[in-house]
Every structure is written in structure tokens, then in C-alpha cells.
Amino acid sequence: MTDSTLEFSLGAYHTVVSFSEEFPSIPLTDSVLIVEDTNSAELFPYPETHRMIIPSGEEGKSWTSIERILSRALERGLDRRSLFIGIGGGVVCDVTAFAASIYMRGARLHLVPTTLLAMVDAAFGGKTGINFQGWKNMVGTFYPAERIWIHPKVLGTLPERELRSGMAEVIKSAMLKDEELFSLLETVGKSGGSLKDLSLGLYEKMIRHSLLVKAYYVTQDLREQELRTHLNLGHTFAHGLESATHFKQFTHGEAVAWGLYRAMDAGLSLGLTDPAYAKRVRTLLSRFAYAEHVSGVKPEAIFQAMQQDKKKRGVLRFVIQRNLGDTLLSTLDPAIVKQVIERGIKS
Ligand SMILES: NC(=O)c1ccc[n+]([C@@H]2O[C@H](COP(=O)([O-])OP(=O)(O)OC[C@H]3O[C@@H](n4cnc5c(N)ncnc54)[C@H](O)[C@@H]3O)[C@@H](O)[C@H]2O)c1
């Protein structure tokens, strides 16, 4: 792998994504605050003086974490020109970015995503946030990082399940806009085997392609007025499943993969999705062993969770595809939503 960069304008912001052979060198100056979670802190140790550690997992996405980060920044005398650096998965990226965005009305921000999901999705695009009163990502800001460091070698310590979680977002990106990536995934999926055995070169390629797809949406619609919503392909059903199971039973990617099967079902029910494309998507998802039918959760609980989501966030619009790269937004009759959910539950 050779060091290289991608550059994007996101509204008034500019993000440089650097792919690097070596782990980025972190400047340990007086104006830097590193944020890690308990796991990334063990993998990438920095002096306690310069870092703040938050709990790993969704528990870390809390006001308590934000307050602790801001207090530490203040204690250390940081100002608006100071640099917050988040090193970790999507949780660390979301929390660090939120803290940086509100510290003195906006400090500098670099992110070093260390999970596949954070590399292809969470670190890039400017959404920051924490969970609030049981609602995921209910409080946050749009605040793109000025630099994102991608060092695929760090994926070496990531458990298989977390790699598969990120891979679901790679598949989603391919479905939205990238035939070449989709074909590559079909080949990778066909060979079976562990995701831990894929080469770093292949990961780099998949990450780069996924970022370019995401960039297509976020550079045109940073604040998700309309076009960016397409990135939620599979996510409306996924959020229902995640919240009905209290964010404990499935990783985000597993839920997204289930949501992608459901998006195909919904599109077929509406007579919009090309059946040959739906079959191609299902085959791809099954090659990566994502469950089309889940158990241990009642369809009604998922439907209710989606209704709650609707109450909080407004009209539920589903992302439907006619074909690869041909995407639209549609409301769905509740009877169809129920049927689609029921078809995704193991009887
Ligand atoms: N802002 C956005 O646009 C956006 C997009 C997608 C997801 N997200 C958010 O991202 C979060 C999910 O991100 P995630 O899947 O990275 O979860 P995560 O941050 O919880 O990381 C998953 C697990 O892997 C550990 N980990 C991190 N790097 C590791 C490494 N290199 N080796 C071994 N273990 C490592 C973490 O400590 C954690 O236990 C969710 O909160 C979601 O809301 C945000």
C-alpha cells in the first residue's frame, strides 16, 4: 500500500482522508487531547496526560463522556485552535467529534477510525452524536473532521464479528452506486472463509470505494435534507430490529444486513425492485452469512419500535431500490411493513 489521500468539500468544511502504511504519528503537544475507548486505549497507548478514555460500546455515547472530555480539555487549557483526536470505532468517532464541535464553539478535529465500520462510514460525513434518554444518536451536530487517518493494518486485531459488521455497510455502499465494488464483493463472498484472511490491499480498496460512494451523498447534502437519506438503505428496518432487541442481540452491521434483505422484500412488494437484482443482493448477503431470518424477537416489537422512531423523527420514508444505483424514497403502507418484518422472522 502506498500513502495517498482523498479530499472532499462538505459544505463549509474540508476533509482530507489519508491512507497510511504506518499508524499516524500523533503529536503529543500541549494543545492535543486524544479520546479513546477502553479497548482502543489498550491497543494504542498514549500518556494519561494527553488522553481521556470512555467506556467501550454504546454506553460510551453519553453526556457523561462528553462532560468528562470537555472538562479535561478545559483543565488542560485547550482553546479553539487545539486538536481533538478520536482513536477508535464509531463510538469514539461520534463522541470525540461531538465534543470537538461544541468545545468553545468548535475545536479542531482529527479521527483515526480503528474498526471497518468506522473507516467506511462513521468517521466520514460529519454526523456526530450521543444517545439520549434511550434514543440512539438523538443529540448531536454536523461537524466533519478536518482529517481522517485510515491505517487498514489496525483491522488485524478486530474480531471477525466486528469485521462482518463493517462489511454490511460496504455492501450497502456497493448497492447504492458501485457496480465494480458489488462484483468484487461477489467474488470475495464466493470464496467463503474468514474475513480475517482478506488482504489489506483488498480492505483498502473496499474502504476507498465505500468512502467515494458516501462522498457522493454527503458532499451534496451534508445536513440530510433529501439525497443523503439514500445512505439509510436498509437502516429503517435495521433500527427497528436494533431497538426492539435493546441494541444487545445484533451488531449494527448485522441489523443493517437484515434491513437490506427487508428493503429488497419491500421493493418487491411494491412491484418496484427488479426481481433479478433482489436475488443478486440476497445471494451476496447470504455468501457473507448474514441472517435473512432472525429469532428471539417478536415482529410486533420491531414494528412498534419503528412507530416510536417515526414519532420522534417524523414521517418514516423507506429507501427502496429498483436496481443497483437506482434508488428512491417511499412511504410504505403499515400492512406491507408488517408483512415484510414477519417474513424476516424465523417461525
Ligand atoms: N456518524 C456516523 O455517520 C455514523 C455512521 C455509522 C455508525 N455510527 C455509529 O458508530 C457506532 C458503531 O461503530 P463501531 O461498529 O465501530 O462500534 P464500536 O465503536 O463500539 O467498536 C466496536 C468494538 O470494537 C472495539 N475496537 C475498536 N477498534 C478495534 C481494533 N482495531 N481491534 C479490536 N477491537 C477494536 C471497540 O472498542 C468496540 O468494543 C454506533 O454508535 C453508530 O451509531 C455513526
Side-chain angles (χ1 to χ4, degrees):
M1 177 184 152
T2 45
D3 290 4
S4 59
T5 56
L6 295 170
E7 300 199 18
F8 305 101
S9 291
L10 290 88
Y13 302 90
H14 192 72
T15 297
V16 177
V17 181
S18 298
F19 289 81
S20 62
E21 179 94 45
E22 299 300 325
F23 195 82
S25 91
I26 305 293
L28 292 175
T29 64
D30 285 346
S31 56
V32 163
L33 177 63
I34 298 164
V35 179
E36 301 190 286
D37 73 4
T38 44
N39 295 325
S40 60
E42 236 173 72
L43 292 164
F44 315 106
Y46 289 95
E48 290 310 318
T49 45
H50 285 75
R51 78 171 172 190
M52 167 57 70
I53 301 174
I54 63 169
S56 69
E58 289 300 312
E59 193 200 331
K61 286 180 72 166
S62 66
W63 271 122
T64 312
S65 297
I66 297 296
E67 216 178 319
R68 287 178 55 224
I69 295 167
L70 299 179
S71 305
R72 174 63 74 84
L74 203 58
E75 251 166 54
R76 297 202 54 229
L78 301 194
D79 64 23
R80 193 182 291 161
R81 289 157 303 172
S82 302
L83 180 60
F84 285 53
I85 307 178
I87 305 177
V91 164
V92 168
C93 292
D94 279 6
V95 167
T96 312
F98 183 38
S101 75
I102 57 176
Y103 187 70
M104 296 194 175
R105 300 199 174 87
R108 294 179 55 215
L109 171 68
H110 285 196
L111 294 173
V112 186
T114 61
T115 63
L116 181 59
L117 190 127
M119 289 179 191
V120 299
D121 195 359
F124 176 60
K127 279 190 181 175
T128 84
I130 56 167
N131 305 328
F132 185 63
Q133 296 196 355
W135 291 96
K136 202 165 139 79
N137 299 328
M138 187 46 80
V139 173
T141 54
F142 287 96
Y143 198 66
E146 60 182 59
R147 191 173 278 259
I148 299 168
W149 297 95
I150 309 269
H151 174 54
K153 242 187 220 166
V154 297
L155 297 177
T157 50
L158 204 61
E160 176 84 17
R161 192 171 180 208
E162 293 298 341
L163 284 172
R164 282 182 69 253
S165 181
M167 195 60 82
E169 295 287 1
V170 177
I171 292 176
K172 179 205 77 179
S173 303
M175 289 167 67
L176 282 173
K177 278 251 160 279
D178 195 329
E179 174 67 53
E180 188 190 337
L181 179 59
F182 198 99
S183 304
L184 177 71
L185 288 163
E186 287 179 319
T187 311
V188 172
K190 217 187 255 174
S191 66
S194 162
L195 296 184
K196 289 189 85 67
D197 295 337
L198 302 184
S199 71
L200 289 180
L202 196 55
Y203 274 114
E204 188 202 337
K205 189 167 184 185
M206 293 190 293
I207 295 162
R208 196 180 283 277
H209 274 252
S210 302
L211 285 173
L212 288 171
V213 171
K214 186 162 183 182
Y216 171 84
Y217 295 95
V218 300
T219 54
Q220 295 182 73
D221 179 21
L222 177 65
R223 291 180 166 271
E224 201 171 280
Q225 303 296 308
E226 179 80 22
L227 184 67
R228 186 176 178 157
T229 320
H230 290 196
L231 288 170
N232 294 336
L233 176 61
H235 283 61
T236 313
F237 288 104
H239 288 155
L241 178 65
E242 285 180 298
S243 58
T245 52
H246 311 288
F247 298 93
K248 291 200 162 47
Q249 200 172 327
F250 303 97
T251 63
H252 181 60
E254 286 163 352
V256 167
W258 183 81
L260 294 174
Y261 283 115
R262 305 286 73 78
M264 290 298 107
D265 269 357
L268 288 170
S269 299
L270 293 172
L272 290 171
T273 303
D274 174 358
Y277 173 61
K279 189 166 175 221
R280 205 177 157 202
V281 169
R282 281 205 177 103
T283 305
L284 179 62
L285 291 168
S286 66
R287 277 184 189 159
F288 283 93
Y290 292 113
E292 179 167 2
H293 306 102
V294 295
S295 53
V297 51
K298 293 203 162 61
E300 188 55 27
I302 300 174
F303 182 77
Q304 284 310 328
M306 286 165 74
Q307 296 310 302
Q308 289 295 325
D309 223 23
K310 178 166 135 188
K311 247 201 250 160
K312 285 279 178 295
R313 297 176 209 254
V315 176
L316 272 192
R317 288 194 300 168
F318 292 79
V319 186
I320 300 291
Q321 287 199 295
R322 293 192 191 89
N323 219 319
L324 193 154
D326 187 356
T327 307
L328 66 143
L329 297 174
S330 174
T331 52
L332 274 185
D333 187 316
I336 295 188
V337 177
K338 280 186 180 168
Q339 265 172 24
V340 168
I341 295 173
E342 272 161 20
R343 282 206 289 268
I345 305 292
K346 242 181 227 157
S347 48

